[in-house]
Amino acid sequence: MTTRPHGDLPLRLLFKIVNNTILVKLKDGSEYIGQLVRCDPCMNLYLIDTKEVDEEKHEPIANLGKVLIRGSNILFIVTDINKMFLESGK
């Protein structure tokens, strides 16, 4: 059996940033910003204080509160949203 030396790196990063605010983009194009409370090995995420945001303007569309996001629906996760907003000029 072969192992990938960095195969679990994204999961380790997620476990380290629990209680931080993240942005999650789903495969359907929707984006959510919320505080990561918990994640599991399937990359299912439990967020609180979650807001759905406009994907271009990153402005809130709806306040959702507690949200469970299935890992198989995730396109990408931004772990440092403050840096993302600084780089985009928002």
Side-chain angles (χ1 to χ4, degrees):
M1 183 168 127
T2 61
T3 60
R4 296 181 300 174
H6 303 292
D8 64 341
L9 189 60
L11 282 174
R12 282 191 287 164
L13 175 62
L14 278 177
F15 287 122
K16 284 183 181 180
I17 62 166
V18 167
N19 298 321
N20 290 322
T21 301
I22 62 172
L23 180 139
V24 182
K25 181 159 184 142
L26 302 185
K27 292 176 183 177
D28 69 0
S30 56
E31 293 185 0
Y32 302 91
I33 293 177
Q35 182 181 347
L36 178 63
V37 175
R38 185 171 288 166
C39 61
D40 67 15
C42 294
M43 226 179 246
N44 297 318
L45 307 178
Y46 177 56
L47 306 174
I48 60 171
D49 300 326
T50 308
K51 296 173 180 60
E52 182 176 5
V53 294
D54 180 90
E55 83 180 274
E56 292 179 12
K57 299 176 188 173
H58 298 290
E59 294 176 355
I61 297 172
N63 290 322
L64 303 174
K66 297 175 185 176
V67 173
L68 177 66
I69 298 176
R70 188 176 170 118
S72 62
N73 292 326
I74 297 173
L75 184 60
F76 65 82
I77 299 169
V78 177
T79 59
D80 189 352
I81 63 170
N82 292 326
K83 183 177 179 182
M84 181 188 81
F85 289 138
L86 287 174
E87 289 176 356
S88 68
K90 303 276 181 214

